[in-house]
Amino acid sequence: MLQYLIRVTDNTFPSVVFLALLLLISLKGNRGLRRNFHVRGILLGAGAALVYAVLKRNTGIAVREYYDLGVLLPSIAVFLLLAVAGWRSSLQKKESFPFLFRCLVCLGLALCTANIMPNIMLYPFDFAVGMDTIFNTEFLYRVMGYSAGLLLMLLILFLVYSLAAKLSERTTLIFFTASLLILACGHSLNVVQILVARNIVYSDLLMELVLFALEHINIFIYLQILVAFFIVAALLLKIKFTPLTGNNPAQLRKMKAGQRRQRRYSFGLLACLVMVALTVSVVREYDGREVELSPPLEIPALGGRILIPLDQVNDGNLHRFMYKSKSGVEVRYIVIKKSESAYGVGLDACDICGPSGYYQRKDQVVCKLCDVVMNISTIGFPGGCNPVPLKFGITAGSMVIMAEDLESEAGRFE
């Protein structure tokens, strides 16, 4: 659940604040820009993203780095031209080259949409990875995390647009320019990272720049949070220092109601910004924490057989064991009691994630690598991310595992 909330937030939030301000700045003033022009830009970007997503999903010809270069490079140029056009219009008190401005807005919306939509379209295809069926709680959690991220981003888009709309055109333009420069800097670093990774260009300075960006991956998210925060602050100050005047009590009541709504929206946006900050910091650290697997207990084979006393594994917890093969490879395997008369026995590895290992979280068995949750009743059966089944028998109060079965699986752990 958390991983998809983090992914959607990382992928979308820096562009959401910019999109809201771009939509607003293009509609403020007398620019004659119809709303259907915005729809065209968004549909154009969504169409490009859909083509890429289909090719990526069904063929091997779509390379994300080259797609990103085709989107990010023109984005930087278009964003800077939009800033110049906006300030020129504001300073001259009239719209210069209105058709050119409309084209820039359309292109800006298209490129921004084309940048964030591919991942949004492709994430749902990963929900069922490692699962035999979608009818389980883990699949539901992933859908919930993805949906929560999308709803949070849409709410932020609406709130930033609604609150900035109450500010003056010049003030909105200042915030728009700040958001634009932050996004352009982020795009520039992504371009440099792609060029260095693909060995298209290389220098020690560029490598240092890439390493800095990777070490401070959240900096552009925090900067966009600051932009949205200052929008809230500017509006609250405007409300505080703007006297209420009206021709009659009805007008005054209407103005007071409008201010109350603006305050509610302001506090709502602040709450959303706190959620974003926590998601990319605390939640990311919690979700990405390293799980330390308990050391496996080595039980030597006697006469080709490994004997495990049942009273040692009857507590319902996951037990990890290890057998050292003739070639010196440590073959790990797990045992867990599933019911009064059934045990789940398998290698500490699966066909999908390899020998990454499993651990117990409350009453669940979890793959360390992909965080897929296994139903304990399915341990010992093949399929999905389940541990590779291991043959065993029960005799005289002990579980019997043949050493030759572990020897045959040693290659998985090399």
Side-chain angles (χ1 to χ4, degrees):
M1 175 178 179
L2 296 180
Q3 61 181 316
Y4 286 97
L5 174 62
I6 296 168
R7 288 183 185 181
V8 172
T9 303
D10 277 349
N11 181 69
T12 313
F13 176 75
S15 299
V16 161
V17 176
F18 171 74
L19 272 174
L21 294 171
L22 175 58
L23 288 169
L24 183 60
I25 204 69
S26 63
L27 291 172
K28 278 201 171 188
N30 186 22
R31 292 194 168 95
L33 188 59
R34 298 187 301 274
R35 291 182 185 272
N36 62 355
F37 214 84
H38 297 95
V39 176
R40 294 174 189 173
I42 293 173
L43 290 178
L44 179 63
L50 180 61
V51 170
Y52 166 80
V54 171
L55 292 176
K56 181 69 175 178
R57 180 67 184 172
N58 298 290
T59 72
I61 64 175
V63 179
R64 183 58 193 261
E65 287 88 347
Y66 296 142
Y67 175 84
D68 284 344
L69 285 177
V71 172
L72 298 180
L73 284 173
S75 294
I76 297 168
V78 170
F79 292 169
L80 295 177
L81 288 173
L82 278 169
V84 172
W87 279 104
R88 180 181 179 124
S89 172
S90 177
L91 293 174
Q92 293 182 351
K93 305 297 183 182
K94 65 178 182 179
E95 182 61 41
S96 301
F97 308 108
F99 179 74
L100 177 60
F101 181 80
R102 295 188 189 108
C103 291
L104 287 173
V105 171
C106 184
L107 277 174
L109 290 170
L111 290 168
C112 207
T113 306
N115 180 45
I116 64 177
M117 285 302 292
N119 285 341
I120 299 299
M121 293 176 176
L122 289 171
Y123 285 155
F125 291 100
D126 296 336
F127 291 166
V129 172
M131 301 180 187
D132 293 324
T133 174
I134 64 172
F135 300 104
N136 57 65
T137 55
E138 182 63 20
F139 184 86
L140 177 61
Y141 287 152
R142 293 183 180 188
V143 173
M144 289 172 60
Y146 174 83
S147 302
L150 286 182
L151 289 174
L152 180 61
M153 295 303 106
L154 290 173
L155 182 58
I156 290 174
L157 178 69
F158 168 75
L159 291 174
V160 170
Y161 181 93
S162 300
L163 295 177
K166 303 301 179 182
L167 302 174
S168 66
E169 183 178 357
R170 183 68 60 86
T171 304
T172 305
L173 188 57
I174 292 173
F175 290 127
F176 168 73
T177 305
S179 178
L180 180 152
L181 292 176
I182 294 168
L183 195 61
C185 288
H187 286 355
S188 299
L189 281 177
N190 287 338
V191 168
V192 171
Q193 186 175 346
I194 294 170
L195 294 178
V196 171
R198 287 284 174 176
N199 290 319
I200 298 174
V201 297
Y202 183 85
S203 73
D204 292 338
L205 178 61
L206 291 178
M207 180 58 69
E208 290 293 331
L209 192 62
V210 170
L211 292 176
F212 175 83
L214 293 175
E215 291 174 0
H216 301 82
I217 194 170
N218 291 333
I219 187 170
F220 296 107
I221 293 178
Y222 292 139
L223 290 174
Q224 292 285 20
I225 288 175
L226 279 178
V227 171
F229 172 80
F230 284 122
I231 290 174
V232 172
L235 181 61
L236 292 178
L237 287 174
K238 179 182 178 181
I239 292 173
K240 181 176 181 180
F241 293 105
T242 300
L244 293 175
T245 58
N247 296 326
N248 54 63
Q251 285 186 343
L252 287 175
R253 288 194 298 271
K254 183 177 180 180
M255 293 178 66
K256 288 180 179 179
Q259 288 189 348
R260 287 195 297 270
R261 182 172 61 254
Q262 292 168 26
R263 288 192 184 95
R264 288 195 296 268
Y265 282 4
S266 297
F267 294 127
L269 180 56
L270 288 176
C272 290
L273 296 178
V274 170
M275 291 178 63
V276 170
L278 291 175
T279 297
V280 299
S281 56
V282 177
V283 175
R284 187 203 299 278
E285 184 175 351
Y286 173 80
D287 186 63
R289 68 196 186 283
E290 180 70 17
V291 177
E292 293 293 336
L293 298 179
S294 59
L297 175 64
E298 182 178 2
I299 300 182
L302 299 176
R305 302 193 309 168
I306 297 171
L307 301 178
I308 303 174
L310 292 181
D311 57 6
Q312 189 175 337
V313 294
N314 277 344
D315 56 4
N317 294 323
L318 180 71
H319 296 268
R320 304 176 70 244
F321 299 97
M322 184 265 289
Y323 164 79
K324 184 166 289 188
S325 70
K326 294 177 182 178
S327 59
V329 176
E330 295 183 352
V331 183
R332 304 190 313 273
Y333 56 100
I334 60 175
V335 176
I336 188 170
K337 187 173 184 179
K338 301 190 291 186
S339 65
E340 287 299 321
S341 59
Y343 294 87
V345 182
L347 297 178
D348 199 23
C350 77
D351 291 324
I352 297 175
C353 301
S356 56
Y358 298 87
Y359 65 96
Q360 188 168 6
R361 187 166 61 201
K362 296 181 180 179
D363 57 350
Q364 299 173 328
V365 174
V366 185
C367 175
K368 179 183 176 182
L369 182 64
C370 66
D371 203 43
V372 165
V373 176
M374 259 64 62
N375 188 332
I376 291 181
S377 64
T378 67
I379 303 298
F381 295 97
C385 206
N386 272 355
V388 175
L390 185 61
K391 295 179 182 179
F392 72 98
I394 303 292
T395 180
S398 293
M399 179 178 292
V400 181
I401 297 175
M402 302 304 295
E404 61 182 356
D405 291 332
L406 294 172
E407 287 283 352
S408 66
E409 297 289 354
R412 294 181 183 270
F413 295 88
E414 292 180 344

